[in-house]
Amino acid sequence: EVRLVESGGGLVQPGGSLRLSCAASGFTFTTYYMNWVRQAPGKGLEWVANIKQDGSEEYYLDSVKGRFTISRDNTQDSLFLQMNSLRAEDTAVYYCARGEDYDDPGDYWGQGTLVTVSS
Amino acid sequence: QSVLTQPPSASGTPGQRVTISCSGSSSNIGSNTVIWYQQLPGTAPKLLIYGTNQRPSGVPDRFSGSRSGTSASLAISGLQSEDEADYYCAAWDDSLNGPVFGGGTKLTVL
């Protein structure tokens, strides 16, 4: 059974940093792209970033470029999102999602972790 | 402001057929496949349709997807109470170099 479990969310002040993690199991992690997708409270879905199977290519939403960094550890079947210079508009539930290819935002999603940016 | 445009709400009675539209442009729906997700209240999105009109195993054939030009549609036939959820369309955007989503449609089963 495919399982994606996010962690690391919480309350952070504007300008602060947070590192999200996603533990994957139930599939061959190294054969899939991995995505982060977020959903602000009461709003729709917004793709944030994705990373190629071997970590050699990354794509980002324009508004997070230079502030967020996606990475993966294929030895631990884990995905990460380092978020710096956080803004109030980054407040959202962040989902980890498995993608078949670069253009796939996700066929299986985790339950999400809430990030709240507020003073 | 979402790149793909969906109606904010839709409704139908049990057994009815409902269609949800998703409007885009030549850089997304017009040139790439469309994905549909179902999000039940308080849960993560679930893949409903991929490759514009393909259903993953386990998704009932009551759900179907189609595309015409720069617009796509999700049809739900034989509407059931458990279909009450938010539905999102998505597609890769060649100009933005990333996947884009619609704003979501809240389906109510009357």
Side-chain angles (χ1 to χ4, degrees):
Chain A
E1 178 199 1
V2 174
R3 197 152 183 255
L4 298 167
V5 180
E6 302 92 337
S7 60
L11 174 63
V12 60
Q13 292 190 338
S17 298
L18 214 54
R19 189 185 194 222
L20 305 184
S21 300
C22 171
S25 61
F27 64 99
T28 305
F29 186 69
T30 54
T31 62
Y32 287 88
Y33 265 80
M34 293 298 297
N35 297 271
W36 286 102
V37 181
R38 67 186 179 185
Q39 185 170 33
K43 301 297 185 182
L45 301 169
E46 181 177 53
W47 172 82
V48 173
N50 70 9
I51 186 167
K52 196 175 180 180
Q53 290 90 334
D54 61 0
S56 62
E57 291 179 18
E58 304 156 25
Y59 294 93
Y60 293 94
L61 177 69
D62 279 349
S63 63
V64 308
K65 278 180 186 173
R67 300 189 299 123
F68 290 11
T69 302
I70 188 172
S71 61
R72 63 192 294 164
D73 182 346
N74 286 345
T75 66
Q76 299 288 324
D77 289 356
S78 294
L79 176 72
F80 306 99
L81 185 68
Q82 178 66 43
M83 303 186 295
N84 298 331
S85 303
L86 282 161
R87 306 166 181 167
E89 54 264 36
D90 296 318
T91 294
V93 172
Y94 283 73
Y95 294 101
C96 160
R98 184 185 85 166
E100 290 279 349
D101 208 335
Y102 72 94
D103 58 350
D104 178 11
D107 60 354
Y108 281 94
W109 299 50
Q111 85 291 344
T113 186
L114 176 62
V115 172
T116 303
V117 184
S118 175
S119 54
Chain B
Q1 199 85 351
S2 301
V3 175
L4 305 180
T5 301
Q6 297 180 238
S9 63
S11 63
T13 56
Q16 213 174 17
R17 183 176 188 270
V18 170
T19 299
I20 297 172
S21 63
C22 175
S23 178
S25 68
S26 58
S27 65
N28 42 65
I29 293 177
S31 53
N32 297 291
T33 59
V34 180
I35 298 167
W36 288 92
Y37 296 99
Q38 176 192 61
Q39 187 175 32
L40 297 170
T43 69
K46 170 193 168 185
L47 181 65
L48 209 56
I49 298 288
Y50 69 96
T52 303
N53 54 18
Q54 303 298 305
R55 280 177 289 105
S57 60
V59 173
D61 58 7
R62 302 187 296 106
F63 295 89
S64 63
S66 63
R67 176 180 59 186
S68 178
T70 58
S71 293
S73 294
L74 172 70
I76 309 171
S77 60
L79 199 62
Q80 301 178 4
S81 58
E82 55 260 41
D83 298 333
E84 192 160 283
D86 293 327
Y87 292 84
Y88 293 91
C89 58
W92 178 266
D93 192 291
D94 295 328
S95 298
L96 297 176
N97 219 27
V100 291
F101 287 89
T105 298
K106 184 176 184 62
L107 175 64
T108 301
V109 181
L110 302 168

